[in-house]
Amino acid sequence: MSANNPRRRNSRVRNIQDSVVGVTSSAEDLSTSKALVLVAIIFISSILALGLLYKQFPDLEEEEQKHLHLPWDLEDAKQLGLVLDRYKEKYFYEVLFGVFLVYIFLQTFAIPGSIFLSILSGFLFPFYLALLLVCCCSAIGASLCFFLSNLLGKKLVKRFFPEKAAQWARAVTKHSNNLLNYIIFLRVTPFLPNWFINMSAPVIGVPLTPFALGTFIGVAPPSFVAIQAGQTLHTLTSTSDAWSWTSVTVLSVFALVSLVPVFLKDKLKAKFE
């Protein structure tokens, strides 16, 4: 039985390597220029969709209009929250869909600012609705970023982050049987930025299903902290105010819990072998 272990391990490694080859070769089939054009078309289409959403929003006063933009800092989020909160009762679904669409846009194109939308969601919506909204937007946006990275990812990541990509590729091969838990762990902990995970995942052969599901589950704990902070948005002076020893402890516990199935699986495997 132990003699078969190296064979099974080598087989799993080959499967991961085949997956990497399959994903990257499909991206290479499309020339860089065509991939850039396709990404540009998707980006422009997204901008047009946001513009259409803006046109559907009720007329705002001149003072309010200047605050209706992507929040780049906490003060922007505060002012935007005050504007949207005024119209939320009468135009609830428009406001909800607006946050949904903008959040996905930021995640899809790896644009900073989604943390402020998480805090804003906690201010505008009931806690559990805000948490579901953020988790869904994160999973959908990350999956779309996964798709775009599959078009250009190998060229960009290998050019600008070759060492990190190679390091994570080795980790993916090592954790090939526990990718879901591994993705959850990466999302809960701050070891790698989310935008880098989104761009690198398809390049190094992470399948979409554990990637999307792991993102949905893994972003819940840090989103829990951000949304809870959003309920007191008017008192926040910086994003660091959202963090406390309690929130750090909660995230640490979730990170450890995500690894428990891996440890149990390894122990059971060693016991029966």
Side-chain angles (χ1 to χ4, degrees):
M1 216 171 162
S2 60
N4 292 329
N5 289 341
R7 296 178 183 176
R8 288 201 299 268
R9 192 177 302 112
N10 291 336
S11 177
R12 288 195 296 267
V13 171
R14 283 196 297 270
N15 289 337
I16 290 292
Q17 291 172 340
D18 291 342
S19 176
V20 174
V21 172
V23 171
T24 54
S25 62
S26 63
E28 288 177 341
D29 289 341
L30 200 63
S31 67
T32 304
S33 58
K34 289 182 179 179
L36 284 171
V37 169
L38 183 56
V39 171
I41 291 173
I42 295 173
F43 181 79
I44 293 172
S45 300
S46 301
I47 293 292
L48 292 175
L50 291 177
L52 181 62
L53 176 69
Y54 179 82
K55 291 294 184 182
Q56 298 301 316
F57 208 74
D59 293 333
L60 302 175
E61 296 179 5
E62 185 176 350
E63 182 66 22
E64 295 174 324
Q65 287 181 355
K66 67 179 184 180
H67 298 303
L68 198 65
H69 59 78
L70 295 177
W72 300 115
D73 54 38
L74 197 58
E75 186 59 32
D76 284 348
K78 286 183 180 180
Q79 296 301 325
L80 179 59
L82 292 174
V83 173
L84 295 180
D85 189 56
R86 178 179 174 183
Y87 293 89
K88 183 183 64 177
E89 296 300 324
K90 189 174 181 180
Y91 301 97
F92 179 82
Y93 291 105
E94 286 84 350
V95 172
L96 178 65
F97 184 68
V99 174
F100 176 82
L101 198 61
V102 172
Y103 204 117
I104 290 177
F105 173 78
L106 295 180
Q107 289 283 307
T108 299
F109 296 100
I111 300 174
S114 57
I115 178 62
F116 301 114
L117 287 184
S118 297
I119 295 174
L120 183 64
S121 298
F123 176 73
L124 293 173
F125 309 117
F127 181 85
Y128 290 106
L129 175 60
L131 184 61
L132 179 63
L133 174 69
V134 171
C135 290
C136 288
C137 289
S138 298
I140 295 171
S143 298
L144 292 174
C145 186
F146 184 103
F147 167 73
L148 294 181
S149 180
N150 199 27
L151 295 176
L152 291 170
K154 183 180 180 181
K155 301 175 181 65
L156 294 178
V157 173
K158 286 197 171 184
R159 179 177 178 181
F160 295 105
F161 310 101
E163 294 181 1
K164 283 189 176 181
Q167 181 182 5
W168 201 32
R170 289 192 293 269
V172 168
T173 302
K174 181 180 177 181
H175 298 279
S176 58
N177 286 333
N178 307 293
L179 280 178
L180 176 60
N181 299 92
Y182 188 58
I183 294 296
I184 293 173
F185 177 78
L186 288 177
R187 295 299 190 182
V188 173
T189 56
F191 296 142
L192 289 173
N194 282 332
W195 63 266
F196 180 76
I197 297 172
N198 295 344
M199 292 183 64
S200 301
V203 178
I204 58 180
V206 177
L208 179 59
T209 299
F211 173 80
L213 183 59
T215 298
F216 180 87
I217 298 172
V219 298
S223 298
F224 182 97
V225 176
I227 291 168
Q228 195 172 44
Q231 296 179 335
T232 57
L233 176 61
H234 61 283
T235 65
L236 295 179
T237 57
S238 70
T239 53
S240 61
D241 292 343
W243 296 91
S244 64
W245 283 111
T246 302
S247 60
V248 171
T249 302
V250 169
L251 293 183
S252 300
V253 169
F254 272 103
L256 292 174
V257 168
S258 69
L259 296 178
V260 167
V262 179
F263 294 140
L264 290 178
K265 185 176 180 180
D266 290 341
K267 291 189 74 172
L268 288 172
K269 183 178 177 182
K271 181 178 180 180
F272 285 104
E273 288 176 352

